[in-house]
Amino acid sequence: MSKYVDSIHKINNNIFVLTPLFLVFYKNLKPTSKNLLLSYLVLPLILYKTSQKKIKTSKKTSSIFSFLDSNKKEKRENVYGLQKRVQEYKEITNQCILYAIENKWLKLEDDLSIVVIEEQENNMVSLSDAFKASSKLCNIFKELDVISIYRQLGVKEL
């Protein structure tokens, strides 16, 4: 049974399928120093249905503060277990970024910023909501530096 579960996990968390999510994210993100570190938040936020739904419906006027409004219970649910999810997706995030750099879709600059060289299209219909959320995640991250984003989301370590 464990082998079956491991196989399903590997199929669902495949770097060939998930790497284009990072390309869409970095295409819309304003280039800043050390934005590579934001990649560790992409999969935990956009593959978690509760936060995906909120990010997908975000607007250009949205911010991390509207995403995390602590007065409304449903908004606090956006980051429940985020620290644990960041740890779970850390390895696959590294693999996806490395895969994109090796294929010359992304370029890592000296200041740890990521630049999109070549875009990739979404070939997975089942991930269309995740692609839309990934393209709008920059709405949540705008106007703050990397450290402030991690602090606001309550992620204390990578």
Side-chain angles (χ1 to χ4, degrees):
M1 184 69 175
S2 177
K3 242 179 166 180
Y4 175 75
V5 172
D6 288 344
S7 297
I8 295 297
H9 178 76
K10 285 180 183 177
I11 290 171
N12 286 331
N13 294 306
N14 185 324
I15 63 168
F16 305 110
V17 173
L18 297 178
T19 297
L21 293 172
F22 291 96
L23 300 175
V24 170
F25 169 68
Y26 281 110
K27 183 183 102 182
N28 296 322
L29 184 69
K30 180 182 169 188
T32 58
S33 176
K34 299 181 182 176
N35 69 3
L36 168 68
L37 298 172
L38 295 177
S39 64
Y40 295 101
L41 296 172
V42 173
L43 295 179
L45 286 173
I46 65 170
L47 295 180
Y48 182 61
K49 291 296 180 189
T50 304
S51 57
Q52 179 191 78
K53 183 178 175 185
K54 179 64 181 172
I55 293 168
K56 198 173 74 173
T57 58
S58 70
K59 301 174 182 169
K60 289 189 176 195
T61 57
S62 299
S63 70
I64 199 164
F65 303 108
S66 60
F67 178 71
L68 295 173
D69 187 358
S70 61
N71 293 328
K72 296 182 180 178
K73 184 181 174 187
E74 70 272 3
K75 289 187 177 181
R76 287 181 281 162
E77 292 174 351
N78 291 330
V79 291
Y80 284 159
L82 184 60
Q83 177 70 54
K84 183 179 177 185
R85 285 184 272 140
V86 166
Q87 295 301 320
E88 289 174 359
Y89 284 108
K90 183 177 178 181
E91 184 59 34
I92 196 164
T93 297
N94 288 335
Q95 293 173 353
C96 289
I97 295 295
L98 185 60
Y99 178 68
I101 290 172
E102 287 178 352
N103 284 298
K104 301 191 185 313
W105 298 334
L106 292 179
K107 181 180 179 187
L108 180 62
E109 300 288 342
D110 291 336
D111 62 350
L112 296 180
S113 63
I114 296 281
V115 176
V116 176
I117 298 172
E118 183 179 331
E119 298 176 26
Q120 296 292 308
E121 292 184 17
N122 174 17
N123 296 326
M124 299 295 295
V125 176
S126 62
L127 286 176
S128 62
D129 287 341
F131 270 88
K132 189 168 184 177
S134 186
S135 70
K136 290 189 167 191
L137 189 57
C138 62
N139 292 338
I140 306 298
F141 289 165
K142 68 180 183 203
E143 299 176 5
L144 289 177
D145 61 6
V146 174
I147 294 171
S148 299
I149 291 168
Y150 271 89
R151 189 174 294 147
Q152 290 296 324
L153 292 174
V155 178
K156 296 179 181 170
E157 65 180 83
L158 286 177

